[in-house]
PDB file of all heavy atoms in Angstrom:
ATOM      1  N   PRO A 500     -29.691 160.517  43.198  1.00 94.00           N
ATOM      2  CA  PRO A 500     -28.298 160.793  43.031  1.00 94.00           C
ATOM      3  C   PRO A 500     -27.497 160.455  44.283  1.00 94.00           C
ATOM      4  O   PRO A 500     -28.138 160.289  45.360  1.00 94.00           O
ATOM      5  CB  PRO A 500     -28.302 162.377  42.767  1.00 94.00           C
ATOM      6  CG  PRO A 500     -29.517 162.851  43.398  1.00 94.00           C
ATOM      7  CD  PRO A 500     -30.506 161.676  43.369  1.00 94.00           C
ATOM      8  N   VAL A 501     -26.264 160.495  44.182  1.00 90.00           N
ATOM      9  CA  VAL A 501     -25.343 160.245  45.343  1.00 90.00           C
ATOM     10  C   VAL A 501     -25.212 161.674  46.120  1.00 90.00           C
ATOM     11  O   VAL A 501     -24.904 162.674  45.407  1.00 90.00           O
ATOM     12  CB  VAL A 501     -23.890 159.824  44.901  1.00 90.00           C
ATOM     13  CG1 VAL A 501     -22.965 159.791  46.181  1.00 90.00           C
ATOM     14  CG2 VAL A 501     -24.014 158.444  44.272  1.00 90.00           C
ATOM     15  N   GLU A 502     -25.539 161.707  47.286  1.00 80.00           N
ATOM     16  CA  GLU A 502     -25.420 163.005  48.114  1.00 80.00           C
ATOM     17  C   GLU A 502     -23.937 163.311  48.364  1.00 80.00           C
ATOM     18  O   GLU A 502     -23.080 162.429  48.382  1.00 80.00           O
ATOM     19  CB  GLU A 502     -26.131 162.851  49.437  1.00 80.00           C
ATOM     20  CG  GLU A 502     -27.680 162.791  49.273  1.00 80.00           C
ATOM     21  CD  GLU A 502     -28.211 164.081  48.607  1.00 80.00           C
ATOM     22  OE1 GLU A 502     -27.790 165.139  48.926  1.00 80.00           O
ATOM     23  OE2 GLU A 502     -29.217 163.932  47.821  1.00 80.00           O
ATOM     24  N   LEU A 503     -23.703 164.550  48.387  1.00 67.00           N
ATOM     25  CA  LEU A 503     -22.342 164.979  48.582  1.00 67.00           C
ATOM     26  C   LEU A 503     -21.762 164.541  49.972  1.00 67.00           C
ATOM     27  O   LEU A 503     -22.492 164.625  50.942  1.00 67.00           O
ATOM     28  CB  LEU A 503     -22.209 166.500  48.527  1.00 67.00           C
ATOM     29  CG  LEU A 503     -22.615 167.112  47.165  1.00 67.00           C
ATOM     30  CD1 LEU A 503     -22.626 168.639  47.270  1.00 67.00           C
ATOM     31  CD2 LEU A 503     -21.526 166.748  46.128  1.00 67.00           C
ATOM     32  N   VAL A 504     -20.593 164.052  49.933  1.00 59.00           N
ATOM     33  CA  VAL A 504     -19.940 163.601  51.279  1.00 59.00           C
ATOM     34  C   VAL A 504     -18.720 164.567  51.345  1.00 59.00           C
ATOM     35  O   VAL A 504     -17.826 164.620  50.522  1.00 59.00           O
ATOM     36  CB  VAL A 504     -19.457 162.139  51.109  1.00 59.00           C
ATOM     37  CG1 VAL A 504     -18.723 161.835  52.429  1.00 59.00           C
ATOM     38  CG2 VAL A 504     -20.625 161.253  50.955  1.00 59.00           C
ATOM     39  N   LYS A 505     -18.685 165.264  52.509  1.00 59.00           N
ATOM     40  CA  LYS A 505     -17.510 166.190  52.737  1.00 59.00           C
ATOM     41  C   LYS A 505     -16.221 165.481  52.897  1.00 59.00           C
ATOM     42  O   LYS A 505     -16.203 164.413  53.680  1.00 59.00           O
ATOM     43  CB  LYS A 505     -17.777 167.113  53.964  1.00 59.00           C
ATOM     44  CG  LYS A 505     -19.086 167.870  53.797  1.00 59.00           C
ATOM     45  CD  LYS A 505     -19.030 169.212  54.472  1.00 59.00           C
ATOM     46  CE  LYS A 505     -20.253 170.020  54.168  1.00 59.00           C
ATOM     47  NZ  LYS A 505     -20.252 171.265  54.840  1.00 59.00           N
ATOM     48  N   PRO A 506     -15.158 165.823  52.148  1.00 53.00           N
ATOM     49  CA  PRO A 506     -13.941 164.979  52.184  1.00 53.00           C
ATOM     50  C   PRO A 506     -13.030 165.190  53.463  1.00 53.00           C
ATOM     51  O   PRO A 506     -12.062 164.559  53.642  1.00 53.00           O
ATOM     52  CB  PRO A 506     -13.252 165.505  50.979  1.00 53.00           C
ATOM     53  CG  PRO A 506     -13.715 166.965  50.778  1.00 53.00           C
ATOM     54  CD  PRO A 506     -15.146 166.861  51.234  1.00 53.00           C
ATOM     55  N   ARG A 507     -13.483 166.083  54.288  1.00 54.00           N
ATOM     56  CA  ARG A 507     -12.648 166.428  55.466  1.00 54.00           C
ATOM     57  C   ARG A 507     -13.519 166.747  56.676  1.00 54.00           C
ATOM     58  O   ARG A 507     -14.687 167.084  56.486  1.00 54.00           O
ATOM     59  CB  ARG A 507     -11.671 167.526  55.148  1.00 54.00           C
ATOM     60  CG  ARG A 507     -12.430 168.899  54.903  1.00 54.00           C
ATOM     61  CD  ARG A 507     -11.468 169.978  54.350  1.00 54.00           C
ATOM     62  NE  ARG A 507     -12.292 171.208  54.195  1.00 54.00           N
ATOM     63  CZ  ARG A 507     -12.484 172.092  55.107  1.00 54.00           C
ATOM     64  NH1 ARG A 507     -12.009 171.814  56.419  1.00 54.00           N
ATOM     65  NH2 ARG A 507     -13.217 173.164  54.980  1.00 54.00           N
ATOM     66  N   GLU A 508     -12.957 166.711  57.725  1.00 63.00           N
ATOM     67  CA  GLU A 508     -13.694 167.131  59.043  1.00 63.00           C
ATOM     68  C   GLU A 508     -13.783 168.660  59.075  1.00 63.00           C
ATOM     69  O   GLU A 508     -12.814 169.392  58.938  1.00 63.00           O
ATOM     70  CB  GLU A 508     -13.018 166.601  60.229  1.00 63.00           C
ATOM     71  CG  GLU A 508     -13.720 166.800  61.536  1.00 63.00           C
ATOM     72  CD  GLU A 508     -13.024 166.126  62.712  1.00 63.00           C
ATOM     73  OE1 GLU A 508     -12.209 165.251  62.523  1.00 63.00           O
ATOM     74  OE2 GLU A 508     -13.365 166.551  63.905  1.00 63.00           O
ATOM     75  N   GLU A 509     -15.067 169.120  59.307  1.00 73.00           N
ATOM     76  CA  GLU A 509     -15.251 170.568  59.396  1.00 73.00           C
ATOM     77  C   GLU A 509     -14.858 171.028  60.826  1.00 73.00           C
ATOM     78  O   GLU A 509     -15.159 170.479  61.811  1.00 73.00           O
ATOM     79  CB  GLU A 509     -16.708 170.857  59.113  1.00 73.00           C
ATOM     80  CG  GLU A 509     -17.201 170.461  57.789  1.00 73.00           C
ATOM     81  CD  GLU A 509     -16.673 171.413  56.680  1.00 73.00           C
ATOM     82  OE1 GLU A 509     -16.688 172.669  56.949  1.00 73.00           O
ATOM     83  OE2 GLU A 509     -16.358 171.009  55.698  1.00 73.00           O
ATOM     84  N   PRO A 510     -14.220 172.238  60.912  1.00 79.00           N
ATOM     85  CA  PRO A 510     -13.928 172.852  62.197  1.00 79.00           C
ATOM     86  C   PRO A 510     -15.238 173.290  62.899  1.00 79.00           C
ATOM     87  O   PRO A 510     -16.205 173.571  62.289  1.00 79.00           O
ATOM     88  CB  PRO A 510     -13.039 174.083  61.789  1.00 79.00           C
ATOM     89  CG  PRO A 510     -13.373 174.398  60.476  1.00 79.00           C
ATOM     90  CD  PRO A 510     -13.665 173.064  59.814  1.00 79.00           C
ATOM     91  N   THR A 511     -15.205 173.171  64.283  1.00 81.00           N
ATOM     92  CA  THR A 511     -16.463 173.473  65.044  1.00 81.00           C
ATOM     93  C   THR A 511     -16.733 174.947  64.991  1.00 81.00           C
ATOM     94  O   THR A 511     -17.901 175.328  64.765  1.00 81.00           O
ATOM     95  CB  THR A 511     -16.208 173.051  66.432  1.00 81.00           C
ATOM     96  OG1 THR A 511     -15.805 171.631  66.505  1.00 81.00           O
ATOM     97  CG2 THR A 511     -17.454 173.151  67.272  1.00 81.00           C
ATOM     98  N   ASN A 512     -15.816 175.768  65.178  1.00 87.00           N
ATOM     99  CA  ASN A 512     -16.028 177.310  65.239  1.00 87.00           C
ATOM    100  C   ASN A 512     -15.150 177.949  64.234  1.00 87.00           C
ATOM    101  O   ASN A 512     -14.101 178.505  64.677  1.00 87.00           O
ATOM    102  CB  ASN A 512     -15.852 177.873  66.598  1.00 87.00           C
ATOM    103  CG  ASN A 512     -16.909 177.283  67.560  1.00 87.00           C
ATOM    104  OD1 ASN A 512     -18.066 177.475  67.392  1.00 87.00           O
ATOM    105  ND2 ASN A 512     -16.409 176.667  68.619  1.00 87.00           N
ATOM    106  N   PRO A 513     -15.437 177.795  62.957  1.00 94.00           N
ATOM    107  CA  PRO A 513     -14.436 178.285  61.920  1.00 94.00           C
ATOM    108  C   PRO A 513     -14.331 179.832  61.893  1.00 94.00           C
ATOM    109  O   PRO A 513     -15.273 180.533  62.313  1.00 94.00           O
ATOM    110  CB  PRO A 513     -15.013 177.770  60.616  1.00 94.00           C
ATOM    111  CG  PRO A 513     -16.483 177.570  60.874  1.00 94.00           C
ATOM    112  CD  PRO A 513     -16.641 177.284  62.384  1.00 94.00           C
ATOM    113  N   LEU A 514     -13.204 180.242  61.281  1.00 95.00           N
ATOM    114  CA  LEU A 514     -13.040 181.685  61.070  1.00 95.00           C
ATOM    115  C   LEU A 514     -13.945 182.140  60.007  1.00 95.00           C
ATOM    116  O   LEU A 514     -14.518 183.301  60.035  1.00 95.00           O
ATOM    117  CB  LEU A 514     -11.564 181.954  60.692  1.00 95.00           C
ATOM    118  CG  LEU A 514     -10.509 181.941  61.728  1.00 95.00           C
ATOM    119  CD1 LEU A 514      -9.154 182.099  61.141  1.00 95.00           C
ATOM    120  CD2 LEU A 514     -10.769 182.990  62.833  1.00 95.00           C
ATOM    121  N   VAL A 515     -14.164 181.343  58.945  1.00 96.00           N
ATOM    122  CA  VAL A 515     -14.914 181.719  57.723  1.00 96.00           C
ATOM    123  C   VAL A 515     -15.770 180.655  57.280  1.00 96.00           C
ATOM    124  O   VAL A 515     -15.349 179.470  57.200  1.00 96.00           O
ATOM    125  CB  VAL A 515     -13.893 182.240  56.694  1.00 96.00           C
ATOM    126  CG1 VAL A 515     -14.667 182.632  55.405  1.00 96.00           C
ATOM    127  CG2 VAL A 515     -13.038 183.368  57.064  1.00 96.00           C
ATOM    128  N   TYR A 516     -16.989 181.040  56.728  1.00 97.00           N
ATOM    129  CA  TYR A 516     -17.897 180.105  56.013  1.00 97.00           C
ATOM    130  C   TYR A 516     -17.852 180.560  54.525  1.00 97.00           C
ATOM    131  O   TYR A 516     -17.892 181.761  54.306  1.00 97.00           O
ATOM    132  CB  TYR A 516     -19.349 180.119  56.534  1.00 97.00           C
ATOM    133  CG  TYR A 516     -19.435 179.402  57.952  1.00 97.00           C
ATOM    134  CD1 TYR A 516     -19.453 180.172  59.069  1.00 97.00           C
ATOM    135  CD2 TYR A 516     -19.652 178.095  58.010  1.00 97.00           C
ATOM    136  CE1 TYR A 516     -19.579 179.583  60.374  1.00 97.00           C
ATOM    137  CE2 TYR A 516     -19.825 177.441  59.198  1.00 97.00           C
ATOM    138  CZ  TYR A 516     -19.754 178.227  60.378  1.00 97.00           C
ATOM    139  OH  TYR A 516     -20.017 177.610  61.605  1.00 97.00           O
ATOM    140  N   ILE A 517     -17.898 179.664  53.625  1.00 97.00           N
ATOM    141  CA  ILE A 517     -17.862 180.017  52.147  1.00 97.00           C
ATOM    142  C   ILE A 517     -19.014 179.226  51.480  1.00 97.00           C
ATOM    143  O   ILE A 517     -19.230 178.029  51.785  1.00 97.00           O
ATOM    144  CB  ILE A 517     -16.588 179.666  51.534  1.00 97.00           C
ATOM    145  CG1 ILE A 517     -15.356 180.199  52.354  1.00 97.00           C
ATOM    146  CG2 ILE A 517     -16.604 180.216  50.030  1.00 97.00           C
ATOM    147  CD1 ILE A 517     -14.024 179.639  51.896  1.00 97.00           C
ATOM    148  N   ALA A 518     -19.696 179.881  50.639  1.00 97.00           N
ATOM    149  CA  ALA A 518     -20.805 179.202  49.774  1.00 97.00           C
ATOM    150  C   ALA A 518     -20.640 179.499  48.366  1.00 97.00           C
ATOM    151  O   ALA A 518     -20.254 180.635  47.954  1.00 97.00           O
ATOM    152  CB  ALA A 518     -22.178 179.687  50.327  1.00 97.00           C
ATOM    153  N   HIS A 519     -20.838 178.596  47.554  1.00 97.00           N
ATOM    154  CA  HIS A 519     -20.873 178.739  46.075  1.00 97.00           C
ATOM    155  C   HIS A 519     -22.013 179.714  45.732  1.00 97.00           C
ATOM    156  O   HIS A 519     -23.014 179.865  46.514  1.00 97.00           O
ATOM    157  CB  HIS A 519     -20.938 177.361  45.357  1.00 97.00           C
ATOM    158  CG  HIS A 519     -19.755 176.496  45.525  1.00 97.00           C
ATOM    159  ND1 HIS A 519     -18.576 176.745  44.998  1.00 97.00           N
ATOM    160  CD2 HIS A 519     -19.581 175.462  46.370  1.00 97.00           C
ATOM    161  CE1 HIS A 519     -17.671 175.805  45.261  1.00 97.00           C
ATOM    162  NE2 HIS A 519     -18.326 174.953  46.127  1.00 97.00           N
ATOM    163  N   TRP A 520     -21.950 180.208  44.465  1.00 98.00           N
ATOM    164  CA  TRP A 520     -22.927 181.100  44.014  1.00 98.00           C
ATOM    165  C   TRP A 520     -23.298 180.729  42.580  1.00 98.00           C
ATOM    166  O   TRP A 520     -22.696 181.001  41.564  1.00 98.00           O
ATOM    167  CB  TRP A 520     -22.521 182.499  44.004  1.00 98.00           C
ATOM    168  CG  TRP A 520     -23.416 183.519  43.617  1.00 98.00           C
ATOM    169  CD1 TRP A 520     -23.566 184.072  42.326  1.00 98.00           C
ATOM    170  CD2 TRP A 520     -24.607 184.190  44.309  1.00 98.00           C
ATOM    171  NE1 TRP A 520     -24.613 184.976  42.245  1.00 98.00           N
ATOM    172  CE2 TRP A 520     -25.222 185.127  43.504  1.00 98.00           C
ATOM    173  CE3 TRP A 520     -24.974 184.028  45.635  1.00 98.00           C
ATOM    174  CZ2 TRP A 520     -26.313 185.806  43.932  1.00 98.00           C
ATOM    175  CZ3 TRP A 520     -26.138 184.800  46.073  1.00 98.00           C
ATOM    176  CH2 TRP A 520     -26.742 185.624  45.226  1.00 98.00           C
ATOM    177  N   ASN A 521     -24.382 179.848  42.403  1.00 97.00           N
ATOM    178  CA  ASN A 521     -24.678 179.358  41.061  1.00 97.00           C
ATOM    179  C   ASN A 521     -26.109 178.955  40.926  1.00 97.00           C
ATOM    180  O   ASN A 521     -26.454 178.272  39.988  1.00 97.00           O
ATOM    181  CB  ASN A 521     -23.793 178.300  40.653  1.00 97.00           C
ATOM    182  CG  ASN A 521     -23.738 177.090  41.605  1.00 97.00           C
ATOM    183  OD1 ASN A 521     -24.738 176.883  42.409  1.00 97.00           O
ATOM    184  ND2 ASN A 521     -22.636 176.347  41.590  1.00 97.00           N
ATOM    185  N   SER A 522     -27.046 179.315  41.836  1.00 98.00           N
ATOM    186  CA  SER A 522     -28.442 178.941  41.778  1.00 98.00           C
ATOM    187  C   SER A 522     -29.262 179.874  42.579  1.00 98.00           C
ATOM    188  O   SER A 522     -28.820 180.565  43.345  1.00 98.00           O
ATOM    189  CB  SER A 522     -28.624 177.473  42.137  1.00 98.00           C
ATOM    190  OG  SER A 522     -28.615 177.338  43.533  1.00 98.00           O
ATOM    191  N   SER A 523     -30.643 179.718  42.388  1.00 98.00           N
ATOM    192  CA  SER A 523     -31.548 180.498  43.099  1.00 98.00           C
ATOM    193  C   SER A 523     -31.530 180.117  44.699  1.00 98.00           C
ATOM    194  O   SER A 523     -31.895 180.900  45.483  1.00 98.00           O
ATOM    195  CB  SER A 523     -32.937 180.378  42.556  1.00 98.00           C
ATOM    196  OG  SER A 523     -33.427 179.052  42.566  1.00 98.00           O
ATOM    197  N   ASN A 524     -31.126 178.928  44.987  1.00 98.00           N
ATOM    198  CA  ASN A 524     -30.907 178.522  46.321  1.00 98.00           C
ATOM    199  C   ASN A 524     -29.923 179.405  47.017  1.00 98.00           C
ATOM    200  O   ASN A 524     -30.114 179.815  48.229  1.00 98.00           O
ATOM    201  CB  ASN A 524     -30.459 177.057  46.491  1.00 98.00           C
ATOM    202  CG  ASN A 524     -31.455 176.039  45.871  1.00 98.00           C
ATOM    203  OD1 ASN A 524     -31.616 176.107  44.669  1.00 98.00           O
ATOM    204  ND2 ASN A 524     -31.855 175.126  46.750  1.00 98.00           N
ATOM    205  N   ASP A 525     -28.835 179.824  46.397  1.00 98.00           N
ATOM    206  CA  ASP A 525     -27.879 180.640  46.930  1.00 98.00           C
ATOM    207  C   ASP A 525     -28.324 181.999  47.185  1.00 98.00           C
ATOM    208  O   ASP A 525     -28.015 182.694  48.161  1.00 98.00           O
ATOM    209  CB  ASP A 525     -26.609 180.626  46.070  1.00 98.00           C
ATOM    210  CG  ASP A 525     -26.081 179.176  45.722  1.00 98.00           C
ATOM    211  OD1 ASP A 525     -25.970 178.457  46.646  1.00 98.00           O
ATOM    212  OD2 ASP A 525     -25.891 178.950  44.521  1.00 98.00           O
ATOM    213  N   VAL A 526     -29.222 182.463  46.257  1.00 98.00           N
ATOM    214  CA  VAL A 526     -29.819 183.798  46.477  1.00 98.00           C
ATOM    215  C   VAL A 526     -30.730 183.842  47.635  1.00 98.00           C
ATOM    216  O   VAL A 526     -30.720 184.781  48.403  1.00 98.00           O
ATOM    217  CB  VAL A 526     -30.728 184.211  45.158  1.00 98.00           C
ATOM    218  CG1 VAL A 526     -31.368 185.570  45.261  1.00 98.00           C
ATOM    219  CG2 VAL A 526     -29.781 184.087  43.880  1.00 98.00           C
ATOM    220  N   LYS A 527     -31.523 182.651  47.792  1.00 98.00           N
ATOM    221  CA  LYS A 527     -32.367 182.651  48.986  1.00 98.00           C
ATOM    222  C   LYS A 527     -31.543 182.617  50.297  1.00 98.00           C
ATOM    223  O   LYS A 527     -31.915 183.241  51.238  1.00 98.00           O
ATOM    224  CB  LYS A 527     -33.185 181.287  48.929  1.00 98.00           C
ATOM    225  CG  LYS A 527     -34.074 181.110  50.198  1.00 98.00           C
ATOM    226  CD  LYS A 527     -34.872 179.760  50.030  1.00 98.00           C
ATOM    227  CE  LYS A 527     -35.656 179.560  51.333  1.00 98.00           C
ATOM    228  NZ  LYS A 527     -36.482 178.284  51.263  1.00 98.00           N
ATOM    229  N   PHE A 528     -30.375 181.921  50.308  1.00 98.00           N
ATOM    230  CA  PHE A 528     -29.487 181.774  51.446  1.00 98.00           C
ATOM    231  C   PHE A 528     -28.951 183.178  51.813  1.00 98.00           C
ATOM    232  O   PHE A 528     -28.928 183.592  52.968  1.00 98.00           O
ATOM    233  CB  PHE A 528     -28.377 180.792  51.160  1.00 98.00           C
ATOM    234  CG  PHE A 528     -27.349 180.700  52.208  1.00 98.00           C
ATOM    235  CD1 PHE A 528     -27.747 180.359  53.545  1.00 98.00           C
ATOM    236  CD2 PHE A 528     -26.028 181.024  51.923  1.00 98.00           C
ATOM    237  CE1 PHE A 528     -26.762 180.263  54.466  1.00 98.00           C
ATOM    238  CE2 PHE A 528     -25.062 180.907  52.949  1.00 98.00           C
ATOM    239  CZ  PHE A 528     -25.339 180.618  54.215  1.00 98.00           C
TER     240      PHE A 528
END
Side-chain angles (χ1 to χ4, degrees):
V501 174
E502 289 298 322
L503 294 173
V504 178
K505 299 207 173 183
R507 63 188 184 85
E508 186 175 340
E509 297 283 322
T511 305
N512 296 301
L514 287 176
V515 177
Y516 289 94
I517 311 167
H519 295 282
W520 182 263
N521 56 22
S522 76
S523 59
N524 298 61
D525 306 310
V526 181
K527 178 181 179 180
F528 175 62

